[in-house]
Structure formats: structure tokens, C-alpha cells
């Protein structure tokens, strides 16, 4: 069975070799780089077996993208502390949404309104919208990419229509099909990135209920999420363009 590999990163300016990958299941690290081929160099290597190869990688690659711990101990924060991140971030806040539905949406009166009318409410007076408008009015960037199945679930259609409200607060709101998200190697998890230095991974139970937040600040891990953000923004479409394409189909 093929390994499930995750690219931790590369220092190559064109996105190529050398690079470090990690086996998601075993935690083993795979380093790729140009092979050592000079016989005099190979003769100096100890313990190199007949079926093994040696590769050359810059020291910076290991420092920047190699794992720093044997096993990361999750750091969890409460919902109140998570909420304060949206008030204290300095430059940017960005969200990837990957789930087929959210229990909090289904419990919202606006979801019932969407079921009746086909339109999500424009609740610009909510605490969330008021704060985001305040942040974007100060020149800060707030954005999100929503992953949709084909065909979209009812919950995803609700959020797609609610994107009108997100955009009205100054958010950069985009959408992407799940198959395109897979091709772009986006992670299948919900997370926020604050100021490109802190990642908040949102954790849900089997009923789609949001229950806690894992905070990641380890630079190599944060960089991996930032790379996913860049790929998501590149491949996703602005919500209104995405909606127009969906209706045309």
C-alpha cells in the first residue's frame, strides 16, 4: 500500500528539489535531493548499504522544514481565547473550510430562513460582522476559501449564499470544488491562520459540532499551512463567480 506523504516544504526558489516529506501515518521523514555520485565521496560514507542512496540537501532545509519534536503535544485553547484572536490579529486572518456541514449552522435561525426562501440572511449587525468590518476598515486582510462537494450539500449551499454577507464585511471570500482542492494538495481540515505565525486548527465531533481549537506556532508547521493557503487562494474562485458557474451548470 502506498504511503500517505505530506510535503513539509522546500527551500528551492522554483518549488523543486531538494525537499522534505513526512509519512502522515508513521511519522517517518523522507528527504529528496540530488544523489551523491562521486566515488570518492561515496567511499567516505559509513554504513551505506548496497540498496541505499545518499542525497545532498542544504542545512537550511533541515532547519526550516524538518520536524523539531518526536511527537507534537497538542496545545488546546478555549473558545473565548480563540475569539480574542479575531480582535487582536495585526495584519491578516485566513480560513479554510472543508466540512460538508456544521452543526452551528443548522441550529442558526438563518439556516431555517435559507430553507424557506433559498437566501441566507444578511446579518451585518451581528457581533462577528461588526468586528470583521472594523478590522478590514483598518486595512487588515481577512479571507477564506470554502471547499464544496459536487453536488454541494445543503449546508455548503447555505454558506455559499452567506458569502454575500462575508464579502460585505470586507472579506476575500472564495470557493473551490473538493476534487480541485485534492489536486492542489489542500489539507482536509478546518483552520485559521493569524498573521502567518499562528495556526488555529478547528476540531469537530462526528455530529459536526465545534468543540475545541488546537494552536500551532512551530515555524515549519505554520509554513506548511501558509503554503496550503497560497495554493487555495490561487485555485479558488471568488464566491460570486463560483456561484454564477454553479447556476450555469
Amino acid at each position: 500500500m502506498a504511503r500517505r506523504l505530506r510535503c513539509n516544504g522546500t527551500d528551492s526558489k522554483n518549488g523543486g528539489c531538494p525537499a522534505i516529506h513526512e509519512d502522515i501515518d508513521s511519522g517517518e521523514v523522507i528527504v529528496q535531493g540530488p544523489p551523491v555520485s562521486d566515488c570518492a565521496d561515496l567511499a567516505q560514507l559509513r554504513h551505506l548499504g548496497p540498496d541505499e542512496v545518499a542525497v545532498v540537501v542544504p542545512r537550511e532545509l533541515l532547519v526550516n522544514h524538518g520536524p523539531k519534536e518526536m511527537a507534537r503535544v497538542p496545545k488546546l485553547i478555549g473558545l473565548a481565547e480563540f475569539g480574542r484572536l479575531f480582535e487582536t490579529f495585526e495584519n491578516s486572518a485566513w480560513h479554510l473550510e472543508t466540512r460538508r456541514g456544521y452543526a452551528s449552522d443548522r441550529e442558526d435561525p438563518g439556516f431555517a430562513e435559507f430553507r424557506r426562501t433559498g437566501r441566507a440572511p444578511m446579518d451585518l449587525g451581528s457581533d462577528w460582522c461588526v468586528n470583521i468590518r472594523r478590522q478590514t476598515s483598518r486595512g487588515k486582510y481577512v479571507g477564506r476559501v470554502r471547499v464544496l462537494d459536487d453536488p454541494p450539500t445543503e449546508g455548503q449551499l447555505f454558506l455559499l449564499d452567506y458569502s454575500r454577507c462575508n464579502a460585505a464585511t470586507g472579506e476575500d471570500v472564495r470557493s473551490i470544488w473538493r476534487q480541485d482542492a485534492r489536486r492542489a494538495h489542500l489539507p482536509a481540515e478546518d483552520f485559521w491562520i493569524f498573521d502567518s505565525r499562528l495556526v488555529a486548527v478547528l476540531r469537530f465531533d462526528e455530529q459536526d459540532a465545534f468543540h475545541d481549537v488546537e494552536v500551532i506556532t512551530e515555524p515549519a508547521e505554520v509554513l506548511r499551512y501558509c503554503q496550503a493557503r497560497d495554493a487555495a487562494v490561487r485555485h479558488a474562485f471568488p464566491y460570486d463567480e463560483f456561484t454564477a458557474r454553479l447556476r450555469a451548470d
Side-chain angles (χ1 to χ4, degrees), residues 2-71:
R3 294 174 180 261
R4 294 195 303 148
L5 299 181
R6 176 183 69 204
C7 180
N8 280 7
T10 174
D11 286 332
S12 173
K13 297 300 184 293
N14 60 7
C17 183
I20 287 182
H21 289 73
E22 187 171 347
D23 188 312
I24 295 174
D25 300 309
S26 71
E28 292 176 308
V29 175
I30 298 175
V31 181
Q32 67 183 69
V36 178
S37 56
D38 187 275
C39 294
D41 293 338
L42 290 171
Q44 299 178 64
L45 299 178
R46 298 185 179 183
H47 314 301
L48 185 67
D51 297 324
E52 299 173 344
V53 296
V55 299
V56 179
V57 297
R59 181 181 295 267
E60 292 84 356
L61 179 73
L62 302 178
V63 172
N64 292 337
H65 304 292
K68 306 301 187 294
E69 303 169 333
M70 289 294 291

Side-chain angles (χ1 to χ4, degrees), residues 156-168:
Q156 291 169 346
L157 289 173
F158 167 72
L159 289 174
L160 182 62
D161 196 64
Y162 189 77
S163 296
R164 297 177 298 115
C165 188
N166 293 127

Side-chain angles (χ1 to χ4, degrees), residues 45 48 59 97 130 143 150 227 233:
L45 299 178
L48 185 67
R59 181 181 295 267
E97 296 182 9
V130 168
D150 187 12
Q227 290 172 332
V233 172

Side-chain angles (χ1 to χ4, degrees), residues 42-234:
L42 290 171
Q44 299 178 64
L45 299 178
R46 298 185 179 183
H47 314 301
L48 185 67
D51 297 324
E52 299 173 344
V53 296
V55 299
V56 179
V57 297
R59 181 181 295 267
E60 292 84 356
L61 179 73
L62 302 178
V63 172
N64 292 337
H65 304 292
K68 306 301 187 294
E69 303 169 333
M70 289 294 291
R72 189 177 76 241
V73 178
K75 176 185 177 183
L76 303 182
I77 62 173
L79 300 187
E81 186 175 352
F82 175 57
R84 284 194 292 272
L85 292 174
F86 295 94
E87 300 175 355
T88 59
F89 74 93
E90 296 179 357
N91 300 302
S92 64
W94 186 87
H95 186 27
L96 180 67
E97 296 182 9
T98 64
R99 300 187 65 82
R100 293 174 55 82
Y102 298 85
S104 58
D105 289 336
R106 296 191 291 268
E107 297 165 359
D108 192 304
F111 191 76
E113 179 179 336
F114 172 75
R115 281 183 157 180
R116 290 195 311 271
T117 67
R119 299 295 279 175
M122 291 284 288
D123 54 349
L124 293 174
S126 67
D127 291 343
W128 169 265
C129 290
V130 168
N131 178 60
I132 297 302
R133 292 179 77 174
R134 179 167 58 246
Q135 303 297 343
T136 57
S137 69
R138 295 171 178 169
K140 301 179 185 182
Y141 173 79
V142 180
R144 72 178 72 220
V145 168
R146 288 184 167 126
V147 178
L148 280 78
D149 293 283
D150 187 12
T153 67
E154 186 178 43
Q156 291 169 346
L157 289 173
F158 167 72
L159 289 174
L160 182 62
D161 196 64
Y162 189 77
S163 296
R164 297 177 298 115
C165 188
N166 293 127
T169 68
E171 280 196 40
D172 173 24
V173 192
R174 299 168 183 259
S175 298
I176 185 173
W177 292 116
R178 192 173 300 279
Q179 59 265 33
D180 293 330
R182 292 194 182 105
R183 280 193 285 268
H185 304 292
L186 301 187
E189 58 185 349
D190 280 37
F191 60 89
W192 280 90
I193 305 175
F194 296 93
D195 296 326
S196 297
R197 64 174 181 79
L198 183 151
V199 175
V201 180
L202 281 55
R203 309 206 307 186
F204 299 82
D205 62 23
E206 294 182 355
Q207 286 71 46
D208 303 319
F210 173 43
H211 58 82
D212 59 32
V213 179
E214 178 183 353
V215 170
I216 299 172
T217 57
E218 201 279 313
E221 279 291 286
V222 172
L223 176 60
R224 182 172 67 84
Y225 283 97
C226 289
Q227 290 172 332
R229 173 196 60 196
D230 294 346
V233 172
R234 175 191 172 195

